[in-house]
C-alpha cells in the first residue's frame, strides 16, 4: 500500500530515536521511498550510518557542509508526508514558534505536504502546560499528532510520554495514505476567488480593503492537494503571490468587474465555486484619466454598485454545482449569514465574525458553516489551512449534489 510513497522522516534528540531504525525498515519493506534527516542532537542517540544504510538515502543533518548546501525547500516539496519522530520537547517548541536553527526545522517550515508528529518525552515534560500549548498549536496548524503512550520512560519512571511503537506509527501512516486527501476531488474543477478588489478613482488612487487573500489561497491549496483542477481568480494580494502557486491556474484581476468576468467565464465548467474574495460593493461612478488635483473644498465622490459575483453565479448555477460564499460580519452574524445564503442562492455560507476570531491578514480563522439544507456546523479557531480542510470536508460530507 505504501509502494512509491515519499516519506521524509525528521528525527530529533530523544532516546526513542532508536525506534526509528525499525520504522525505516518497515517502511522500506513496504517499498516506500524514505529520506531521513536529523537534528544535530539526534546524532547522539542513533547513527546516521544505520539510517542511511536502511533508507538507502543519504541522511541530512546540516543545512550546509563544506561547499554544499542541502536544499530544504526541495525536500519539503518532494515528500508526500513529513513525519517528525521522535518529536522532542525542544523541537516541538521550536515548531510551534516557527524557529529555524537547523535543517529539520527549515524542511518543516518549507514543507508543502501534510505533517505527522510522534512526541517522546518524560511524563512531567509532556504534561507541562507549555508543552500542551505547543501541541495544541501544532494541531491548529493542521498537523497529525500521535499522542504518546503510557509505559516505562528513559528516566525509569512509568507514565505518559512514551513514543508510539514503530508498528503503531506504521499503521497511522497507512491510515493516512488510505484516507489521504488528494483523490476525493480528482477530475473536479474548482473555481476560487481570493483577495481584495481595487476600484480605481484615477491613475494613482483606488478604493480597496484589507483582505490578504490567505483564506482563498488556503482553499485553492487544499483543493489542489485533493486532486482538483483549481482556477484561482485573485485580486491584488501580494502575500498570495509569494506562495507556491504551481499546479493552480491563476487569473490575476484588479477590479470587481474583472473578477466578475473571469468567474462568469469559468463557472459553467466548474463543479465547485468558493467565493472567498472581499469584493468591493461600490466603485467610483467615473474614473478620471488624470490625477485628481486637490481642491479648495471637500471632494464628494459618487459611488455606484458593483455586480455581486456570488449572486450572479447563484442565479445561473445548475443542480450539480456547489456554490459557497463567505460572510464577514460584525453584528447580528447569524441573521446576516442566513440572509446571504438565501438571497444569493448559495449552497453554503461560511460565517466569520470580526468579534469572534476573524481578522484581516491573520493566519487563523474561526468559522461556522450554514448549508441551504439547514445544517449549521461550528468549528474551533484553527489555521486557515485547517479551516480550508474543514470547509471541503463539509461540502463532500453533506453535499446534496453528485460531487
Ligand atoms: N461577494 C461577491 N460580489 C460582491 C460582493 C460580495 O461575490 N460584489 C461575495 C463575497 O465573495 C462573499 C459573499 O459575497 O463570498 C458575501 O460577501 P460580504 O462582503 O460579506 O457581503 P455583501 O453581500 O457584500 O454584503 P455586506 O457588505 O452588506 O455585508
Amino acid at each position: 500500500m505504501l509502494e512509491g510513497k515519499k516519506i521524509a522522516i525528521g528525527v530529533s534528540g530523544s532516546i526513542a530515536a532508536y525506534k526509528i531504525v525499525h520504522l525505516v525498515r518497515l517502511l522500506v519493506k513496504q517499498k516506500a521511498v524514505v529520506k531521513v534527516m536529523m537534528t544535530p542532537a539526534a546524532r547522539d542517540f542513533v547513527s546516521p550510518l544505520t539510517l542511511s544504510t536502511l533508507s538507502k538515502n543519504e541522511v541530512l543533518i546540516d543545512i550546509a557542509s563544506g561547499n554544499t548546501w542541502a536544499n530544504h525547500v526541495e525536500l519539503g516539496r518532494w515528500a508526500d508526508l513529513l513525519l517528525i519522530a521522535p518529536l522532542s520537547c525542544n523541537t516541538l517548541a521550536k515548531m510551534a514558534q516557527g524557529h529555524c536553527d537547523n535543517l529539520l526545522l527549515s524542511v518543516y517550515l518549507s514543507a508543502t505536504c501534510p505533517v505527522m508528529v510522534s512526541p517522546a518525552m518524560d511524563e512531567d515534560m509532556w504534561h507541562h502546560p507549555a508543552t500542551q500549548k505547543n501541541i495544541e498549536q501544532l494541531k491548529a496548524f493542521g498537523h497529525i499528532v500521535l499522542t504518546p503512550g503510557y509505559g516505562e520512560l528513559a528516566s525509569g519512571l512509568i507514565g505518559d510520554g512514551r513514543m508510539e511503537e514503530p508498528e503503531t506509527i506504521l499503521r497511522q501512516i497507512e491510515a493516512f495514505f488510505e484516507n489521504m486527501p488528494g483523490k476525493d476531488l480528482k477530475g473536479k474543477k474548482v473555481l476560487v476567488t481570493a483577495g481584495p478588489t481595487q476600484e480605481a478613482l484615477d491613475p494613482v488612487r483606488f478604493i480597496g480593503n484589507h483582505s490578504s487573500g490567505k483564506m482563498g489561497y488556503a482553499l485553492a491549496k487544499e483543493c489542489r492537494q485533493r486532486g482538483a483542477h483549481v482556477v484561482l481568480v485573485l485580486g491584488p494580494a501580494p502575500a498570495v503571490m509569494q506562495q507556491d502557486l504551481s499546479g493552480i491556474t491563476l487569473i490575476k484581476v484588479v477590479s470587481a468587474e474583472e473578477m466578475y468576468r473571469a468567474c462568469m467565464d469559468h463557472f459553467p465548467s466548474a463543479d465547485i465555486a468558493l467565493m472567498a474574495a472581499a469584493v468591493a460593493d461600490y466603485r467610483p461612478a467615473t474614473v478620471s484619466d488624470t490625477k485628481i488635483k486637490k481642491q479648495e473644498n471637500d471632494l464628494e465622490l459618487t459611488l455606484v454598485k458593483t455586480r455581486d459575483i456570488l449572486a450572479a453565479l447563484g442565479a445561473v448555477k445548475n443542480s450539480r454545482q456547489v456554490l459557497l460564499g463567505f460572510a464577514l460580519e460584525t453584528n447580528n452574524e447569524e441573521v446576516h449569514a442566513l440572509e446571504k445564503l438565501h438571497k444569493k442562492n448559495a449552497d453554503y455560507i461560511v460565517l466569520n465574525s470580526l468579534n469572534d476570531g476573524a481578522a484581516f491578514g491573520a493566519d487563523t480563522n474561526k468559522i461556522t458553516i450554514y448549508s441551504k439544507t439547514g445544517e449549521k456546523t461550528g468549528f474551533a479557531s484553527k489555521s486557515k489551512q485547517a479551516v480550508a480542510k474543514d470547509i471541503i470536508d463539509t461540502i463532500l460530507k453533506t453535499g446534496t449534489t453528485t460531487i
Side-chain angles (χ1 to χ4, degrees), residues 188 319-322 399-403:
K188 302 292 177 197
S319 59
R320 291 185 317 280
Q321 290 176 306
V322 174
T400 50
T401 65
T402 52
I403 294 281

Side-chain angles (χ1 to χ4, degrees), residues 39-113:
T39 62
R43 251 186 313 213
D44 293 336
F45 298 96
V46 65
S47 143
L49 183 63
T50 312
L51 289 168
S52 66
T53 308
L54 289 172
S55 66
K56 304 185 180 86
N57 277 308
E58 184 194 354
V59 171
L60 298 173
I61 301 171
D62 300 310
I63 293 184
S65 65
N67 290 331
T68 48
W69 176 75
N71 190 337
H72 54 89
V73 176
E74 206 168 75
L75 189 55
R77 288 199 178 173
W78 166 85
D80 296 320
L81 175 70
L82 168 61
L83 168 73
I84 301 183
L87 174 66
S88 68
C89 211
N90 191 31
T91 296
L92 164 66
K94 289 181 185 177
M95 285 168 69
Q97 293 291 321
H99 288 214
C100 188
D101 63 1
N102 61 42
L103 175 84
L104 188 154
L105 290 165
S106 54
V107 171
Y108 162 68
L109 286 172
S110 50
T112 52
C113 62

Side-chain angles (χ1 to χ4, degrees), residues 273-316:
L274 310 169
M275 304 284 103
V279 188
D281 289 331
Y282 295 92
R283 63 177 164 78
T286 54
V287 183
S288 172
D289 289 339
T290 52
K291 188 180 172 203
I292 301 170
K293 300 307 282 181
K294 188 159 45 186
Q295 325 269 322
E296 270 306 304
N297 300 320
D298 294 343
L299 174 69
E300 279 190 15
L301 290 175
T302 305
L303 302 178
V304 293
K305 266 179 131 171
T306 57
R307 293 199 252 208
D308 191 309
I309 303 166
L310 178 61
L313 301 188
V316 298

Side-chain angles (χ1 to χ4, degrees), residues 193 195 256 259 263 274-282 305-313 324-329 336 339-340 343-344 348-350 352:
T193 64
M259 187 173 275
C263 289
L274 310 169
M275 304 284 103
V279 188
D281 289 331
Y282 295 92
K305 266 179 131 171
T306 57
R307 293 199 252 208
D308 191 309
I309 303 166
L310 178 61
L313 301 188
L324 178 141
F326 278 76
L328 176 62
E329 305 296 342
H336 287 137
E339 211 176 83
K340 282 173 191 172
K343 232 165 99 183
K344 303 193 187 199
Y348 300 91
I349 283 284
V350 178
N352 40 182

Side-chain angles (χ1 to χ4, degrees), residues 51-234:
L51 289 168
S52 66
T53 308
L54 289 172
S55 66
K56 304 185 180 86
N57 277 308
E58 184 194 354
V59 171
L60 298 173
I61 301 171
D62 300 310
I63 293 184
S65 65
N67 290 331
T68 48
W69 176 75
N71 190 337
H72 54 89
V73 176
E74 206 168 75
L75 189 55
R77 288 199 178 173
W78 166 85
D80 296 320
L81 175 70
L82 168 61
L83 168 73
I84 301 183
L87 174 66
S88 68
C89 211
N90 191 31
T91 296
L92 164 66
K94 289 181 185 177
M95 285 168 69
Q97 293 291 321
H99 288 214
C100 188
D101 63 1
N102 61 42
L103 175 84
L104 188 154
L105 290 165
S106 54
V107 171
Y108 162 68
L109 286 172
S110 50
T112 52
C113 62
V115 177
M116 183 184 280
V117 299
S118 190
M121 61 197 77
D122 244 340
E123 183 177 33
D124 298 329
M125 291 166 86
W126 172 249
H127 286 301
H128 194 285
T131 304
Q132 288 306 310
K133 196 168 159 224
N134 290 336
I135 286 287
E136 285 315 308
Q137 181 62 66
L138 259 52
K139 286 182 183 167
F141 290 155
H143 303 339
I144 304 162
V145 177
L146 308 183
T147 308
Y150 179 87
E152 194 178 333
L153 303 167
S155 58
L157 297 172
I158 310 273
D160 295 328
R162 206 180 143 82
M163 190 180 86
E164 285 295 9
E165 295 305 318
E167 287 79 4
T168 313
I169 300 178
L170 180 73
R171 276 199 299 279
Q172 296 285 351
I173 293 174
E174 286 172 342
F176 164 80
F177 281 111
E178 230 166 49
N179 308 312
M180 189 182 171
K183 294 183 206 93
D184 49 5
L185 287 179
K186 205 165 176 189
K188 302 292 177 197
K189 175 174 170 178
V190 182
L191 171 66
V192 182
T193 64
T197 64
Q198 292 178 353
E199 310 303 323
L201 271 165
D202 68 13
V204 296
R205 303 182 181 95
F206 59 83
I207 296 176
N209 61 69
H210 293 298
S211 171
S212 65
K214 286 181 185 175
M215 191 60 242
Y217 174 70
L219 283 164
K221 187 174 160 193
E222 177 70 17
C223 293
R224 173 186 63 185
Q225 210 160 291
R226 295 166 86 139
H229 166 213
V230 180
V231 176
L232 176 62
V233 181
L234 181 67

